[in-house]
Amino acid sequence: DTEVTQTPKHLVMGMTNKKSLKCEQHMGHRAMYWYKQKAKKPPELMFVYSYEKLSINESVPSRFSPECPNSSLLNLHLHALQPEDSALYLCASSQATGKDTQYFGPGTRLTVL
Amino acid sequence: AQSVTQLGSHVSVSEGALVLLRCNYSSSVPPYLFWYVQYPNQGLQLLLKYTSAATLVKGINGFEAEFKKSETSFHLTKPSAHMRDAAEYFCAVTRPTGRRALTFGSGTRLQVQP
């Protein structure tokens, strides 16, 4: 099973809302990632967790708050977002970082009103 | 820092024709290179990867790519295009040591004409 699941598939939120994106994998992978993808653009790395510890934060605004409760789950907590944060948010996992294949979930399409 | 450049944001081929998607890399150390495909409203799927073993890499769906150090290239090819190959293709690079996170190229949209 090489599946990464993400919920919800779609999310519409106002600028004052608090919401969370969830990602789950059961492949025993120890690295998990959040990417942001704007329309017609490549994915941009936001965060990397390695062995449940944050290893890379690409200077993401604090209104995005990642959390890795255990080795299978990755959350992205959202608060006070801006309309320009509307995008497809992709989660990925890999055995470790580097040459190991990253397996991507289908993404959450976020719209901020 | 490493980076990849994909030449051609759009490529159109006829069904049955050769597919060639270009990717050039820049890296201060021997890189790991990947090709991913993204179908509309979906996540990314790995087509193939180069991790310093054989320079000719075969992937899924009939795609292959050749790592050419002298040309700093990792172009993706398929002998005969199918309609189902229409999608966005991303080349990506990462380092074997240090900061090991994917950096994607800008993407190439492949159209396949009947």
Side-chain angles (χ1 to χ4, degrees):
Chain A
D1 182 13
T2 57
E3 188 179 25
V4 176
T5 58
Q6 291 188 242
T7 56
K9 285 187 171 22
H10 301 274
L11 179 62
V12 179
M13 60 185 291
M15 289 189 285
T16 59
N17 292 157
K18 287 185 181 181
K19 296 287 185 184
S20 296
L21 309 184
K22 296 185 184 302
C23 173
E24 190 167 7
Q25 57 88 13
H26 295 288
M27 295 178 276
H29 290 171
R30 303 314 301 267
M32 296 187 76
Y33 312 76
W34 280 115
Y35 291 86
K36 174 182 178 180
Q37 186 178 25
K38 301 283 279 184
K40 302 187 187 304
K41 296 290 186 182
E44 294 178 349
L45 183 67
M46 300 175 71
F47 303 103
V48 180
Y49 272 82
S50 180
Y51 291 86
E52 299 157 53
K53 294 190 186 304
L54 185 64
S55 63
I56 297 177
N57 177 341
E58 291 289 87
S59 302
V60 179
S62 60
R63 57 186 185 268
F64 295 91
S65 175
E67 178 197 20
C68 190
N70 60 56
S71 60
S72 299
L73 292 173
L74 185 66
N75 298 322
L76 187 62
H77 302 298
L78 314 173
H79 174 54
L81 294 193
Q82 303 297 310
E84 59 264 30
D85 296 322
S86 298
L88 181 67
Y89 287 84
L90 294 164
C91 174
S93 71
S94 64
Q95 192 67 35
T97 57
K99 67 179 180 180
D100 295 307
T101 300
Q102 289 188 26
Y103 295 88
F104 284 79
T108 293
R109 177 75 60 188
L110 174 67
T111 302
V112 182
L113 301 176
Chain B
Q2 66 275 16
S3 65
V4 287
T5 301
Q6 292 184 241
L7 299 175
S9 58
H10 288 83
V11 170
S12 182
V13 301
S14 298
E15 194 172 17
L18 172 71
V19 176
L20 171 60
L21 305 182
R22 300 178 187 273
C23 173
N24 288 89
Y25 69 89
S26 173
S27 179
S28 56
V29 297
Y32 294 147
L33 292 160
F34 304 77
W35 275 100
Y36 281 87
V37 61
Q38 186 175 31
Y39 298 99
N41 299 312
Q42 294 188 27
L44 280 72
Q45 181 183 15
L46 180 75
L47 286 174
L48 49 80
K49 66 180 180 181
Y50 167 77
T51 57
S52 74
T55 56
L56 181 62
V57 181
K58 294 188 184 297
I60 62 170
N61 302 340
F63 285 95
E64 63 180 41
E66 186 172 7
F67 175 74
K68 292 187 177 181
K69 185 177 179 180
S70 61
E71 299 177 8
T72 61
S73 69
F74 190 58
H75 301 330
L76 182 70
T77 61
K78 181 174 180 177
S80 177
H82 291 274
M83 297 295 290
R84 62 176 177 265
D85 295 327
E88 188 84 22
Y89 290 80
F90 293 101
C91 182
V93 64
T94 188
R95 295 165 56 104
T97 59
R99 184 182 180 278
R100 291 175 282 183
L102 284 175
T103 301
F104 286 90
S106 55
T108 297
R109 179 159 298 276
L110 176 65
Q111 290 182 312
V112 182
Q113 308 290 342

